[in-house]
């Protein structure tokens, strides 16, 4: 397993723990389909939350959240639509959140949770 893959897994665990601590429930990790992947699918009361997790060691080329391009957003939306269709979910409110993680100190990370980060157009 590469160093970047390991960091990605750790970032997703950290993000999941953060969301669980804020009252969300985990539905699924790493949902994959031909359109792409969704890092975390969570539930917040009656809403389904599709979460993109981004980790950056530094902000030299933009922040973790800034790295979620329009193209990536479209892939996440298509993947979410596939998930909803496969699970036969019709009338459940949904939203797309993003979590950006950057190291703050050797043992800590800075977590930014952007609720409703993007929407269907």
């Amino acid at each position: 397993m590469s160093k970047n893959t390991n960091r990605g897994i750790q970032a997703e665990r950290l993000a999941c723990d953060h969301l669980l601590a804020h009252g969300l429930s985990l539905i699924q990790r790493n949902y994959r389909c031909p359109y792409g992947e969704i890092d975390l699918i969570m539930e917040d009361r009656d809403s389904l939350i599709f979460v993109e997790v981004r980790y950056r060691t530094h902000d030299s080329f933009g922040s973790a959240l800034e790295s979620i391009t329009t193209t990536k957003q479209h892939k996440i939306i298509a993947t979410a639509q596939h998930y909803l269709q496969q699970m036969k979910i019709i009338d459940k409110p949904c939203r797309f959140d993003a979590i950006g993680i950057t190291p703050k100190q050797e043992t800590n990370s800075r977590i930014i949770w952007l609720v409703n980060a993007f929407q269907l157009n």
Side-chain angles (χ1 to χ4, degrees):
M1 186 177 300
S2 76
K3 190 175 184 181
N4 285 341
T5 301
N6 193 32
R7 280 188 193 151
I9 291 168
Q10 289 175 341
E12 286 177 13
R13 283 186 190 141
L14 188 62
C16 186
D17 289 347
H18 183 78
L19 295 171
L20 291 170
H22 282 85
L24 278 70
S25 303
L26 178 64
I27 303 298
Q28 188 168 346
R29 292 179 193 259
N30 305 112
Y31 177 78
R32 290 181 179 91
C33 76
Y35 304 112
E37 177 183 355
I38 295 176
D39 297 323
L40 300 169
I41 301 174
M42 309 287 290
E43 193 168 38
D44 184 13
R45 296 184 197 136
D46 65 339
S47 295
L48 206 53
I49 317 301
F50 298 99
V51 183
E52 175 67 6
V53 179
R54 289 298 178 120
Y55 176 85
R56 285 286 190 265
T57 53
H58 52 75
D59 291 344
S60 299
F61 298 106
S63 73
L65 292 174
E66 290 172 327
S67 73
I68 305 172
T69 64
T70 304
T71 301
K72 181 63 176 174
Q73 291 174 25
H74 289 298
K75 286 181 180 183
I76 294 167
I77 290 167
T79 304
Q81 290 172 326
H82 184 271
Y83 175 84
L84 293 169
Q85 185 179 44
Q86 293 300 307
M87 299 299 155
K88 298 179 177 23
I89 298 171
I90 298 169
D91 290 331
K92 191 168 189 115
C94 299
R95 74 171 192 248
F96 298 92
D97 289 4
I99 294 212
I101 301 174
T102 53
K104 189 168 70 172
Q105 299 171 347
E106 286 185 28
T107 58
N108 282 336
S109 293
R110 190 176 109 204
I111 300 172
I112 298 173
W113 176 15
L114 189 56
V115 175
N116 207 22
F118 54 90
Q119 301 176 21
L120 282 167
N121 293 338

